[in-house]
Each structure stands twice: as structure tokens, then as C-alpha cells.
Amino acid sequence: MASLLKVDQEVKLKVAAPAEDLVANFFPKKLLELDSFLKEPILNIHDLTQIHSDMNLPLLIPRIEDGNNFGVSIQEETVAELRTVESEAASYLDQISRYYITRAKLVSKIAKYPHVEDYRRTVTEIDEKEYISLRLIISELRNQYVTLHDMILKNIEKIKRPRSSNAETLY
């Protein structure tokens, strides 16, 4: 039992230091990088016609054939997960837009009826609700990022080469 506790302590020590370093150093560095990235001109384009492009690309996922399609299905699952994350991110943006529209309507009512305290209270309540919602969105984005990262890393070879050649292993 004592040796089991010692092994447990050793594992905790080996995991704790890198985990603490990740939280203390890597996360803040990543946040600063992302913040800097968001300020770059490429992400501050006002004329969105500049980002339009033709989509005359061939489909890079190989067609499904008899046998050896596991890699193709991995690619399809990964693309489906990416589409789900993209769709959810778009819904988060819609939610934020709806919040501002609702808040603006309430603020205009406050300007029109400054003596009605319920409008002021409602603005405070929707601000609090949106704050909580944004925290949940950030948590969801983090979870989705982790899921995609895990899925891609675990299947990177099948994503790169969906059909492996067994000829290499025969010799």
C-alpha cells in the first residue's frame, strides 16, 4: 500500500508541474497572441467583398470504395465535427447580436420613459444574463477546441492518408 501511495505521489508531481506551467505560462501567452491577432488588419476588414473567393476546388476526400474506408469515415467525422463547431459559433454570434438589439430597445424606452424603473432593472438583468451566457459560450468554445484538437491529433495519420497501403507491411 505504501508503494502505491509513493507511485501516486510521483505521478502527481510529474503531472502537477507541467499542468501548473500550462495554466500559469502557456494560457496567458496564448491569450496575448490571440488578442494581438485580433488587432491585425486582416481581421479588421470593413469591406467584406475583399474576402470573397471562388470555390472551384476538387473534393479532397477520397471516394468510398469497397474495403479500406476507415480513414475516409474518420475524415468525414472530423469534417462533421468542424461543421458543428462552426454552426454553433455562428449561433453564438447571433445571440450576441440579439442581446445588443434587445438592450438598445430597452435603453430607448428608458430615454422615452425615464421614470419607469422596471426598464432600468430589465437592462441590468439582461446585462447579467448576457455576462453569464458569455462565460458559458467561452467554456463551450474551449471544450469544442479541446475536442477538435483531440480528435485531429488522435487521427492525424488517417486524416492525412485515409487509405493505408498494406504493401509496406507485407515485406
Side-chain angles (χ1 to χ4, degrees), residues 53-134:
S53 64
D54 292 330
M55 296 303 292
N56 297 327
L57 300 174
L59 184 54
L60 298 177
I61 297 175
R63 59 190 166 89
I64 294 178
E65 298 172 348
D66 289 339
N68 202 12
N69 288 320
F70 181 67
V72 176
S73 66
I74 293 292
Q75 282 186 342
E76 289 173 344
E77 281 183 45
T78 304
V79 169
E81 186 65 26
L82 286 166
R83 286 185 179 137
T84 299
V85 170
E86 181 183 38
S87 174
E88 289 179 14
S91 73
Y92 298 150
L93 289 174
D94 287 343
Q95 176 185 333
I96 293 167
S97 296
R98 286 190 307 272
Y99 158 74
Y100 281 115
I101 290 168
T102 303
R103 192 176 196 284
K105 288 177 182 176
L106 284 168
V107 170
S108 68
K109 293 223 182 223
I110 291 171
K112 191 173 183 179
Y113 306 106
H115 57 282
V116 179
E117 188 61 31
D118 285 349
Y119 289 133
R120 294 174 192 275
R121 188 172 301 130
T122 304
V123 168
T124 303
E125 288 174 3
I126 68 163
D127 287 348
E128 291 172 1
K129 178 184 171 200
E130 188 64 14
Y131 174 77
I132 292 167
S133 179
L134 288 173

Side-chain angles (χ1 to χ4, degrees), residues 39-53:
K39 293 176 183 173
E40 289 188 20
I42 193 73
L43 291 177
N44 291 291
I45 296 173
H46 297 288
D47 179 13
L48 296 181
T49 59
Q50 295 178 10
I51 63 170
H52 295 181
S53 64

